[in-house]
């Protein structure tokens, strides 16, 4: 217990961006999904609670609550785009277990009134049932956390489709504003509904699968669809709604993609209410390399706590630890060339 308390103090130091000797690091093998849905429309009644929860023990490598410097956290089945489903989008599973939402709003924005879910929303009920099951079977080797939750811009894109969303900012600005406001309200309601089910862990919570702990309420969200927007347009149209989420919880972490949304980082670095930024490493051929990203990571660390997340080689993990300041830094890597549990040396 004393060692765990010392680790949680290091997590607090991460959020406070205090000077430390080394960053928080966890290096794991690649993740895998225990249940597949391929080439079908997915409904909430297809998600069997008993089928999805027993595999948790199988995925729990070594039955370790602490993995490296981070915690083993388990959310409800993250393959589902939960927020999009809850706000009314149909969900389709394609090949290789990919899932995507289908636009839900009609030509005159029919369906806009249902964006904030009712308490008996079938998708919300299923999410809470899965979360409750994880709590009930927990043997103490993991911490239950909130599921993957996309932010207002992503929900707007899901409701309208990417092309229509881009036009709607100019053609229907008032209705877009209403949709974004309701999307933020829906996010807050769904997060809090999960927190009512998930017990506190040492007086705090964790940010999704990142394994980062903080006192009070902690959420991670994203704004992937802001890749279509300039930093100025993001700040004007999306950030006010992201800000509502930041203000609703004790600690918030927003995820950016290294090849998609890093261009909005300066607006976020200037946002006092945001506690940290995570950057997911995109690894396709023309994405920036870890070496390319080092100056940007250092820039973010000047203003915010930073988690670097995704697939990397052991050498890349070593490079991040060697070249970046430890203050406010965490690295959650899926190592592609060898299995490591502890900090790289």
């Amino acid at each position: 217990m004393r060692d765990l308390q010392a680790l949680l103090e290091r997590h607090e130091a991460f959020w406070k961006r205090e000077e430390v000797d080394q960053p928080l690091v966890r290096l794991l093998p690649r993740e895998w999904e225990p249940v597949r849905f391929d080439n079908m429309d997915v409904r909430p009644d297809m998600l069997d609670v008993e089928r999805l929860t027993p595999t948790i023990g199988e995925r729990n490598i070594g039955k370790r609550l602490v993995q490296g410097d981070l915690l083993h956290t388990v959310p409800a089945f993250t393959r589902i785009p939960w927020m999009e489903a809850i706000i009314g989008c149909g969900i389709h599973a394609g090949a290789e277990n990919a899932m995507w939402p289908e636009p839900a709003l009609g030509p005159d924005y029919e369906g806009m009134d249902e964006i904030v879910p009712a308490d008996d929303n079938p998708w919300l009920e299923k999410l809470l049932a899965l979360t409750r099951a994880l709590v009930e079977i927990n043997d103490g080797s993991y911490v239950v956390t909130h599921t993957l939750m996309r932010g207002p811009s992503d929900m707007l894109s899901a409701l309208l489709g990417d092309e229509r969303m881009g036009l709607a900012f100019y053609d229907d600005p008032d209705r877009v504003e209403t949709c974004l406001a309701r999307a933020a309200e829906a996010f807050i309601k769904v997060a809090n509904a999960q927190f009512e089910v998930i017990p506190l862990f040492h007086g705090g919570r964790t940010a999704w699968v990142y394994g980062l702990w903080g006192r009070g309420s902690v959420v991670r969200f994203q704004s992937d669809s802001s890749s279509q927007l300039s930093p100025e347009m993001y700040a004007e149209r999306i950030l006010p709604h992201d800000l509502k989420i930041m203000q609703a919880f004790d600690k918030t972490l927003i995820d950016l993609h290294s090849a998609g949304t890093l261009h909005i980082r300066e607006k976020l670095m200037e946002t006092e209410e945001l506690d940290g930024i995570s950057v997911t490493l995109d690894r396709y051929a023309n994405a920036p390399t870890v070496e390319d990203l080092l100056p940007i990571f250092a820039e973010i660390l000047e203003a915010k706590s930073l988690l670097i997340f995704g697939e990397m080689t052991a050498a890349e993990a070593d490079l991040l630890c060697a070249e970046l300041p430890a203050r406010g830094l965490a690295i959650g890597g899926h190592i592609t060339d060898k299995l490591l549990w502890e900090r790289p040396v």
Side-chain angles (χ1 to χ4, degrees), residues 56-77:
I56 293 301
E58 298 170 16
R59 286 187 286 159
N60 180 6
I61 301 170
K63 288 283 186 179
R64 298 181 64 167
L65 173 64
V66 177
Q67 300 172 327
D69 299 321
L70 302 178
L71 299 174
H72 179 198
T73 51
V74 179
F77 187 56

Side-chain angles (χ1 to χ4, degrees), residues 71-176:
L71 299 174
H72 179 198
T73 51
V74 179
F77 187 56
T78 58
R79 182 59 60 185
I80 299 293
W82 285 104
M83 289 308 308
E84 294 93 321
I86 288 170
I87 64 176
C89 296
I91 304 301
H92 183 77
E96 299 183 358
N97 218 18
M99 292 194 188
W100 60 85
E102 298 174 341
L105 297 188
D108 290 321
Y109 287 74
E110 297 92 343
M112 190 168 64
D113 293 340
E114 284 76 51
I115 292 175
V116 180
D119 293 342
D120 61 353
N121 178 288
W123 281 107
L124 178 57
E125 289 185 329
K126 182 63 68 171
L127 171 59
L128 297 180
L130 287 165
T131 304
R132 193 175 294 109
L134 292 174
V135 172
E136 291 172 352
I137 68 170
N138 192 356
D139 61 1
S141 63
Y142 60 87
V143 179
V144 182
T145 186
H146 69 81
T147 196
L148 179 65
M149 298 178 65
R150 296 173 175 89
S153 73
D154 293 341
M155 284 186 266
L156 179 67
S157 175
L159 288 165
L160 297 177
D162 286 342
E163 182 177 350
R164 184 181 171 193
M165 182 185 81
L167 297 172
F169 279 110
Y170 302 97
D171 297 338
D172 293 297
D174 292 340
R175 287 195 281 196
V176 164

Side-chain angles (χ1 to χ4, degrees), residues 14-17 252-259 261-271 274-281 288 290 292-309 320 323-330:
F14 165 84
W15 294 109
K16 295 177 181 178
R17 301 176 57 242
T252 51
L253 193 75
I254 191 168
D255 184 65
L256 304 179
H257 275 266
S258 65
T261 44
L262 273 180
H263 66 293
I264 67 172
R265 68 184 182 277
E266 292 183 359
K267 300 300 181 182
L268 293 166
M269 289 161 57
E270 297 168 357
T271 303
L274 179 66
D275 298 283
I277 294 172
S278 62
V279 177
T280 295
L281 298 176
V290 169
D292 295 334
L293 293 166
L294 284 172
I296 295 175
F297 291 154
E299 174 189 333
I300 293 173
L301 283 166
E302 288 294 320
K304 295 291 179 185
S305 300
L306 170 67
L307 168 70
I308 302 167
F309 181 76
L320 292 169
E323 297 296 326
L324 293 175
R327 177 174 178 249
L329 176 63

Side-chain angles (χ1 to χ4, degrees), residues 83 87 146 149-156 179-192 195 217-223 234 238-255 268 271-276:
M83 289 308 308
I87 64 176
H146 69 81
M149 298 178 65
R150 296 173 175 89
S153 73
D154 293 341
M155 284 186 266
L156 179 67
C179 287
L180 287 167
R182 291 178 180 174
E185 184 180 348
F187 183 103
I188 293 166
K189 177 173 182 173
V190 172
N192 282 328
F195 291 159
S217 55
V218 181
V219 296
R220 174 264 192 208
F221 68 109
Q222 61 193 66
S223 190
Y234 168 77
I238 306 297
L239 183 55
H241 305 284
D242 286 351
L243 192 62
K244 292 177 185 176
I245 293 173
M246 299 172 196
Q247 292 169 334
F249 303 98
D250 295 312
K251 291 181 177 61
T252 51
L253 193 75
I254 191 168
D255 184 65
L268 293 166
T271 303
E272 182 178 352
E273 290 83 355
L274 179 66
D275 298 283

